[in-house]
Amino acid sequence: MDRQSTGTNDISLDALRSGSREAFAQLVERYSPSIYRLALRITGNSQDAEDVLQETFLKAMNALSDFQGRSSVSTWLYRIAVNESLMLLRRQKRANTIPVELENDENQDGESETLEIEDWCCLPEKELLSSESRAFLDQALNQLSPRLKMVFQLRDIEGLSIQETADALELTEANVKTSLMRARLKLRELLTGYFHEKLSGRAA
Amino acid sequence: MTNHPLTCKEILQQINLLIDGELEAELCDQLEKHLRECDNCRVVVNTTTKTIELYQEIKGQDQLPEDVRKRLYLRLNLPEPRRDL
Ligand SMILES: [Zn+2]
C-alpha cells in the first residue's frame, strides 16, 4: 500500500510566504482534489464542498505570511478545511442533522464481540468495484461518526501519516490510532455484510 | 475463534500495526505463525486490508470536477495552471 506522506517538498515555502502566485497556484493544483473530497465527505453536499474548498484556499492565501511551519503546509490546509466544514455544518444545523463535533465516540460504532467471518476477497474485481459496490462503499463510510469518517478519509484514503492526521484534526496520535482501528473494523464489517450476499448469490 | 480466544483478541488489537507493516520483527513472527494456523484471524486481516484497498481504488472517481476547478481559480484570482502533465 502506498503510505507516502503528502509532502510539499518541491513547492518552496519561502516563495509561498513571499506571496508568489505561481507557487500558490501549484499548491492549489496539488491539494484541491483531496481538500474537495474531504469537504464532500464531511458536508455530504457538493455545493457546500465547493464553498469549503474556496474558503480554505482564500484563508490560506491571506494567512500564509503568518504560517509558522510547525506542521506541513498540507496539514495546515487540511486543518483549515476541516474547521471550515464543521463551521458550515454548525451554521446549517437543523433538528435532523448529524452531530458535528469531533466528539469522542468511545464505545460507539460497534465494537461487537463477534466478528463476521466471511472471506470475500476472492470475489472478482469486476464485482468488488461494480457501480453498485462503489455506491455501497460510499454509503458505508458515511455511516461512521464524523470523527471516524475523517480519520479514515485522511489516513487511509488520502494517505496522510498518523501524525499528519492527528495534526490536521487536532487529535492526539493515540486517538487517531484508536479511531482508525474502529473505522477499519466497522467498514470491514459493513462490507462483509454486503459482499456476503454477493457470495451467497453466486453459490445459489 | 474458540481454540485460543485470548490470542485471537490480541491479534486483532494489533491489526493496525499488522496492516501498516509496523510490527516489531519478533512480534511479527508470532503473529504470522498464528495467522497461518487460524483461519478466522486470517480472514479478518485479509478482508480489512482489502477494505482499505477498495477505498483507495475508488478515490479516483471523486476527482475535482472541471467547473469546480475553474470557479476556484476565478475566486482566487489566479491563472489556471495548464493540465498537461
Ligand atoms: Zn486467531
Side-chain angles (χ1 to χ4, degrees):
Chain A
M1 241 176 286
D2 185 12
R3 281 289 178 223
Q4 266 192 321
S5 73
T6 45
T8 24
N9 306 341
D10 51 331
I11 301 177
S12 152
L13 197 54
D14 288 340
L16 281 172
R17 279 214 194 97
S18 65
S20 158
R21 286 158 57 81
E22 213 169 84
F24 196 81
Q26 269 182 292
L27 192 72
V28 173
E29 198 62 11
R30 169 110 30 109
Y31 293 106
S32 49
S34 45
I35 296 286
Y36 183 73
R37 277 194 293 267
L38 178 67
L40 196 56
R41 182 62 62 198
I42 306 175
T43 64
N45 167 311
S46 56
Q47 183 55 58
D48 289 344
E50 180 167 356
D51 289 347
V52 168
L53 176 71
Q54 295 187 352
E55 282 308 310
T56 298
F57 283 107
L58 278 173
K59 285 216 164 142
M61 204 180 222
N62 293 327
L64 250 179
S65 50
D66 304 326
F67 176 66
Q68 300 292 314
R70 273 193 296 265
S71 60
S72 64
V73 182
S74 57
T75 306
W76 181 63
L77 284 175
Y78 287 122
R79 192 156 61 224
I80 299 173
V82 168
N83 287 332
E84 286 297 315
S85 302
L86 294 178
M87 212 150 50
L88 190 142
L89 283 185
R90 269 179 221 125
R91 273 202 303 270
Q92 309 173 332
K93 205 170 183 180
R94 281 167 243 114
N96 59 347
T97 45
I98 48 157
V100 295
E101 307 301 323
L102 272 180
E103 82 285 1
N104 198 332
D105 42 25
E106 298 289 325
N107 305 322
Q108 285 180 19
D109 283 301
E111 249 171 309
S112 46
E113 287 301 309
T114 53
L115 286 160
E116 289 290 327
I117 307 294
E118 173 92 52
D119 193 359
W120 46 265
C121 291
C122 58
L123 279 166
E125 287 288 295
K126 198 176 76 190
E127 246 174 279
L128 290 172
L129 291 169
S130 69
S131 54
E132 192 201 312
S133 302
R134 286 166 190 262
F136 184 83
L137 285 167
D138 202 48
Q139 190 201 318
L141 185 46
N142 284 334
Q143 284 180 40
L144 303 189
S145 70
R147 176 165 162 167
L148 297 197
K149 209 192 292 194
M150 283 184 246
V151 166
F152 186 82
Q153 178 87 25
L154 287 177
R155 167 67 172 149
D156 278 342
I157 300 183
E158 303 299 344
L160 272 66
S161 68
I162 293 284
Q163 199 207 322
E164 288 169 325
T165 307
D167 284 348
L169 299 176
E170 298 180 271
L171 296 171
T172 66
E173 289 190 35
N175 281 337
V176 168
K177 286 180 188 169
T178 310
S179 295
L180 184 65
M181 184 168 85
R182 290 221 169 86
R184 286 170 166 182
L185 290 176
K186 180 72 183 168
L187 289 172
R188 187 206 75 93
E189 194 182 298
L190 291 168
L191 264 56
T192 298
Y194 175 77
F195 288 121
H196 170 74
E197 289 179 25
K198 305 278 153 193
L199 279 168
S200 33
R202 282 154 61 89
Chain B
M1 318 249 277
T2 46
N3 294 338
H4 36 242
L6 185 66
T7 322
C8 286
K9 203 174 166 204
E10 280 169 357
I11 297 282
L12 295 177
Q13 278 164 356
Q14 306 293 336
I15 195 167
N16 270 353
L17 298 175
L18 202 62
I19 288 172
D20 297 333
E22 288 166 3
L23 279 179
E24 290 163 40
E26 195 184 324
L27 190 55
C28 202
D29 287 344
Q30 287 178 34
L31 289 184
E32 271 175 15
K33 182 172 180 294
H34 179 104
L35 289 181
R36 271 196 305 273
E37 292 161 3
C38 178
D39 289 346
N40 285 351
C41 281
R42 198 169 54 240
V43 167
V44 172
V45 171
N46 286 347
T47 48
T48 307
T49 305
K50 192 70 184 177
T51 295
I52 298 167
E53 281 171 10
L54 288 180
Y55 277 101
Q56 289 175 341
E57 282 193 56
I58 66 162
K59 172 168 107 175
Q61 80 187 1
D62 290 323
Q63 284 308 317
L64 190 62
E66 195 52 42
D67 52 334
V68 174
R69 179 175 178 270
K70 277 202 171 12
R71 287 193 293 269
L72 175 62
Y73 280 104
L74 211 62
R75 179 90 194 273
L76 296 171
N77 195 21
L78 283 176
E80 243 180 89
R82 249 176 284 144
R83 287 183 130 176
D84 46 8
L85 307 161

